[in-house]
């Protein structure tokens, strides 16, 4: 057994021969360590009997497999321990949401937990949280306030405080939190972790006590981005038990060269957050990516709706009976937040929906010119004393870069900044992407952390939409008149590149809008500038119906040697056409006119 199993691969190595005595002893030792820790990190730790019941069930399932490969396929997380936030149900265990008066024993597992157990994972504990998932600090719990593992005396972040600390301590390789306003990202930053916040609806919230039911999502903490991706692959998917489940897999990867939006005017940051963000920007620019300064005020306006608007009524809907019958059961700050709902009317709720709709249009339009947003995960890392002195203000500042993401239906991944870790260990960055880009975002996170293959059995990967690489050469290029035929079908730019030196390019006469024709030649060919777009397979047919003669789709050889489908021209159409090969590409030719 590794001295300190910290990743999924470490625990897979412990269980590589199945749940034998040595592997079981490793989990029992971990359970005992966590039981000795208790609150404020853990609100419930699996009993020895509960753990043994899980291990016995696993042993039976593993023994039923006819080969090691079948066991890996059916039980990809065999023996891997995990923790869940205590607003997520585990059958037979109390769910408190950090409110003893609310405590109830769950009749069944939350869907996310059930899917992990079906994959062979073993639950060990339920983690502390800001009461009813209302807070970003991790201090609003009657069970006490965990602190940052990397900076004792400073907050752990919340509301998924216990989940993040469990992973940062090395007790488990991953943990489930929830995220409404940043609860899966802020604690990740404050403990040097990866925090993957999926697109709302990608996974099920069945069995999760909601904060804001229309916005919540189950989030993942881990040390490695590929571990977070593996867990997402298991818990994602549609679920009829969740009315807000709407699983839609997206692209597998982002473009090779990224257009990344950053705040044109940065709100006040502390020194550590400034260092981390500046370091990240320099690293991205050095890698050839383009940073684009944009006005974040429309996004901040969306963020203000979450707590300053009637969305707080969703929190009230969950606890209204308890609040009316036993108001003293609530943390005073949590109570003050939730009671704001009583100040809003149904009319206010519709007004806020209209305001969000008006702001969403310009926000979604950002993705026409950007691939990602990059922000500091938090503007500062307050101490426990600072939060005690200003519990509302300190909490509000932490949501500066997180509150708007779920309202807009986007996904995000919080990551540490390796180069600045020694000086700013709890100041991280977050990449934000459009809905459905979860798998691509996780892949980017793995590249950002320079994760190497760990030698473990191949882990499951999040689902992606099957796509067809499509090479475009003329009016379909980015920003040109027919590019909308690609984007309206969900196609995404993979890269700008050149063909192999095998083609000639012609300006075709009489075409509207003007179009070029590219033909392959036996000799005298040149490299032509092109773009490669990933077109969802389901949309290819409708796109082909738009391709007019004399253009057609054929096989295009790229400078890399790869071959992909792309636009070619029938040679018969070249009569009267102008050879523009010397321009190097259609965009350059247009600019020369």
């Amino acid at each position: 057994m590794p001295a300190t199993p910290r990743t999924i691969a470490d625990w897979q190595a412990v269980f590589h021969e199945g749940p034998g005595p040595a592997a079981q002893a490793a989990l029992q030792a971990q359970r005992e360590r966590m039981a000795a820790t208790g609150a404020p990190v853990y609100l419930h730790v699996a009993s020895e009997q509960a753990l043994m019941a899980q291990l016995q069930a696993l042993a039976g399932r593993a023994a039923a497999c006819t080969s090691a490969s079948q066991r890996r396929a059916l039980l990809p997380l065999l023996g891997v321990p995990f923790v869940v936030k205590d607003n997520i149900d585990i059958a037979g265990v109390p769910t408190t949401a950090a409110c003893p008066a609310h405590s109830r024993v769950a009749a069944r597992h939350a869907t996310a937990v059930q899917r992990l157990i079906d994959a062979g994972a073993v639950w060990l504990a339920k983690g502390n949280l800001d009461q009813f998932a209302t807070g970003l600090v991790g201090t609003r719990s009657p069970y006490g306030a965990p602190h940052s593992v990397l900076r004792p005396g400073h907050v752990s972040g919340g509301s998924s405080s216990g989940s993040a600390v469990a992973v940062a301590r090395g007790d488990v390789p991953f943990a489930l939190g929830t995220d409404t306003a940043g609860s899966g990202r802020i604690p990740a930053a404050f403990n040097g972790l990866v925090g993957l916040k999926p697109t709302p609806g990608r996974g099920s919230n069945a069995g999760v006590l909601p904060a804001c039911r229309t916005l919540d999502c189950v989030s993942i903490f881990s040390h490695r981005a590929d571990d977070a991706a593996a867990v997402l692959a298991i818990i994602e998917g549609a679920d009829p038990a969740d009315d807000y489940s709407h699983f839609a897999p997206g692209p597998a990867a982002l473009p090779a060269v990224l257009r990344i939006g950053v705040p044109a005017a940065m709100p006040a940051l502390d020194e550590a957050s400034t260092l981390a963000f500046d370091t990240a920007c320099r690293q991205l620019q050095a890698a050839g990516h383009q940073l684009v300064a944009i006005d974040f005020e429309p996004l901040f306006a969306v963020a203000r709706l979450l707590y300053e608007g009637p969305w707080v009524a969703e929190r009230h809907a969950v606890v209204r009976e308890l609040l009316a019958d036993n108001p003293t059961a609530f943390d005073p700050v949590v109570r003050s937040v939730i009671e704001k709902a009583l100040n809003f009317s149904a009319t206010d709720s519709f007004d806020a929906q209209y305001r969000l709709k008006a702001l969403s249009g310009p926000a979604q339009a950002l993705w026409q010119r950007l691939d990602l947003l990059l922000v500091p995960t938090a503007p500062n890392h307050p101490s426990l004393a600072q939060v005690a002195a200003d519990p509302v203000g300190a909490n509000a500042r932490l949501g500066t870069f997180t509150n708007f993401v779920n309202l807009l239906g986007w996904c995000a991944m919080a990551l540490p900044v390796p180069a600045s870790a020694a000086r700013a260990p709890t100041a991280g960055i977050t990449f934000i992407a459009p809905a459905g880009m979860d798998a691509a975002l996780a892949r980017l996170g793995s590249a950002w952390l320079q994760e190497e293959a760990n030698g473990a059995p191949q882990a499951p990967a999040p689902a992606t939409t099957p796509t067809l690489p499509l090479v475009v050469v003329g009016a379909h290029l980015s920003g040109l008149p027919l590019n909308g035929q690609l984007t309206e079908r969900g196609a995404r730019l993979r890269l700008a590149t050149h063909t192999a030196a095998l083609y000639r390019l012609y300006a075709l006469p009489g075409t509207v809008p003007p179009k070029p024709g590219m033909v392959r030649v036996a000799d005298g060919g040149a490299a032509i500038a092109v773009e490669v777009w990933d077109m969802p397979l389901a949309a290819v047919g409708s796109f082909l119906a738009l391709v007019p003669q004399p253009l057609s789709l054929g096989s295009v050889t790229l400078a890399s040697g790869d071959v992909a489908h792309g636009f070619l021209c029938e040679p018969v159409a070249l009569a009267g056409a102008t050879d523009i090969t010397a321009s190097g590409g259609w965009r350059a030719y247009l600019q020369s006119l």
Side-chain angles (χ1 to χ4, degrees):
M1 172 181 172
T4 307
R6 291 171 63 85
T7 68
I8 288 176
D10 290 340
W11 278 101
Q12 286 174 327
V14 173
F15 277 78
H16 74 285
E17 293 184 354
Q24 293 188 21
L27 275 180
Q28 289 170 331
Q30 205 72 341
R31 188 209 71 83
E32 290 169 5
R33 179 188 183 210
M34 295 163 70
T37 300
V41 178
Y42 301 117
L43 303 189
H44 181 93
V45 176
S47 67
E48 185 174 355
Q49 293 78 10
L51 175 58
M52 287 308 300
Q54 292 186 77
L55 290 173
Q56 288 169 5
L58 267 186
R61 295 173 63 196
C65 296
T66 57
S67 65
S69 60
Q70 184 188 51
R71 188 177 68 207
R72 287 193 295 269
L74 296 178
L75 301 169
L77 295 183
L78 178 63
V80 178
F82 68 100
V83 163
V84 303
K85 185 176 182 178
D86 194 25
N87 61 343
I88 301 174
D89 285 348
I90 293 177
V93 175
T95 297
T96 71
C99 180
H102 168 79
S103 180
R104 58 176 178 78
V105 176
R108 60 183 59 86
H109 296 313
T111 297
V113 172
Q114 185 64 62
R115 289 174 176 173
L116 290 168
I117 289 174
D118 290 346
V122 176
W123 73 268
L124 289 186
K126 303 193 78 177
N128 200 358
L129 67 154
D130 283 307
Q131 191 177 72
F132 293 114
T134 301
L136 292 174
V137 287
T139 63
R140 300 171 176 178
S141 170
Y143 299 101
H147 60 74
S148 163
V149 171
L150 299 178
R151 292 185 77 189
H154 289 252
V155 298
S156 62
S159 59
S160 309
S161 54
S163 295
V165 170
V167 177
R169 281 168 46 92
D171 290 350
V172 290
F174 75 90
L176 300 184
T178 61
D179 189 302
T180 305
S183 297
R185 291 162 277 164
I186 297 296
F190 291 172
N191 291 280
L193 301 174
V194 171
L196 177 57
K197 188 216 76 66
T199 301
R202 187 176 181 109
S204 174
N205 288 332
V208 177
L209 185 74
C212 295
R213 189 179 175 202
T214 61
L215 304 178
D216 292 347
C217 51
V218 174
S219 64
I220 303 159
F221 297 100
S222 62
H223 288 283
R224 291 175 61 98
D226 57 8
D227 280 357
V231 174
L232 177 62
I234 290 167
I235 68 172
E236 70 183 5
D239 181 10
D242 177 7
D243 294 336
Y244 288 90
S245 169
H246 50 91
F247 175 51
L254 289 155
V257 177
L258 296 167
R259 302 163 300 170
I260 304 173
V262 297
M266 183 68 76
L269 306 179
D270 67 9
E271 182 180 1
S273 295
T274 300
L275 170 64
F277 188 74
D278 289 349
T279 299
C281 289
R282 287 194 299 271
Q283 291 179 353
L284 290 163
Q285 288 177 311
H289 303 300
Q290 178 187 5
L291 300 187
V292 182
I294 64 168
D295 180 11
F296 262 62
E297 180 50 38
L299 301 181
F300 294 149
V302 171
R304 287 191 287 271
L305 291 173
L306 189 60
Y307 283 104
E308 297 176 16
W311 267 271
V312 72
E314 285 205 272
R315 298 179 185 272
H316 181 261
V318 176
V319 299
R320 57 190 164 196
E321 293 181 1
L322 180 62
L323 186 61
D325 296 341
N326 188 6
T328 60
F330 288 76
D331 173 272
V333 178
V334 171
R335 177 182 170 186
S336 70
V337 171
I338 295 177
E339 283 184 335
K340 288 181 181 178
L342 303 176
N343 299 325
F344 293 102
S345 67
T347 302
D348 293 329
S349 294
F350 279 102
D351 284 343
Q353 290 281 358
Y354 303 151
R355 174 63 172 155
L356 176 60
K357 194 69 174 178
L359 292 167
S360 294
Q364 301 296 349
L366 289 171
W367 303 124
Q368 297 299 317
R369 57 193 179 99
L370 299 172
D371 302 301
L372 292 171
L373 299 178
L374 172 68
V375 296
T377 302
N380 66 308
H381 185 186
S383 67
L384 291 162
Q386 288 170 325
V387 171
D390 182 16
V392 175
N395 188 92
R397 284 188 289 276
L398 294 183
T400 301
F401 301 106
T402 60
N403 283 355
F404 58 84
V405 180
N406 281 341
L407 280 165
L408 293 169
W410 297 345
C411 57
M413 185 174 236
L415 295 162
V417 180
S420 66
R423 293 177 59 191
T426 61
I429 57 162
T430 293
F431 288 110
I432 301 169
M437 295 297 293
D438 311 70
L441 200 57
R443 186 172 177 177
L444 171 69
S446 183
W448 173 257
L449 296 177
Q450 300 178 353
E451 293 178 349
E452 298 179 355
N454 51 32
Q458 185 173 357
T464 56
T465 303
T467 59
L468 178 76
L470 185 66
V471 180
V472 300
V473 67
H476 288 92
L477 293 168
S478 301
L480 296 188
L482 298 184
N483 184 249
Q485 293 180 355
L486 299 175
T487 57
E488 68 190 9
R489 287 167 174 77
R492 293 189 64 84
L493 177 65
R494 178 190 293 189
L495 77 159
T497 185
H498 288 78
T499 67
L502 300 171
Y503 300 91
R504 297 199 71 79
L505 190 67
Y506 296 82
L508 301 177
T511 54
V512 180
K515 301 180 185 70
M518 187 172 73
V519 294
R520 181 164 180 158
V521 294
D523 56 66
I528 305 299
V530 295
E531 291 177 349
V532 181
W533 286 71
D534 287 322
M535 172 75 73
L537 281 179
V540 170
S542 67
F543 179 75
L544 286 176
L546 301 176
V547 179
Q549 286 185 316
L551 301 179
S552 62
L553 289 185
S555 295
V556 176
T557 302
L558 300 174
S560 63
D562 294 331
V563 178
H565 294 286
F567 278 93
L568 293 172
C569 182
E570 299 173 6
V572 69
L574 301 183
T578 303
D579 189 330
I580 60 170
T581 306
S583 67
W586 183 243
R587 196 188 304 276
Y589 168 72
L590 293 178
Q591 292 171 348
S592 72
L593 297 179

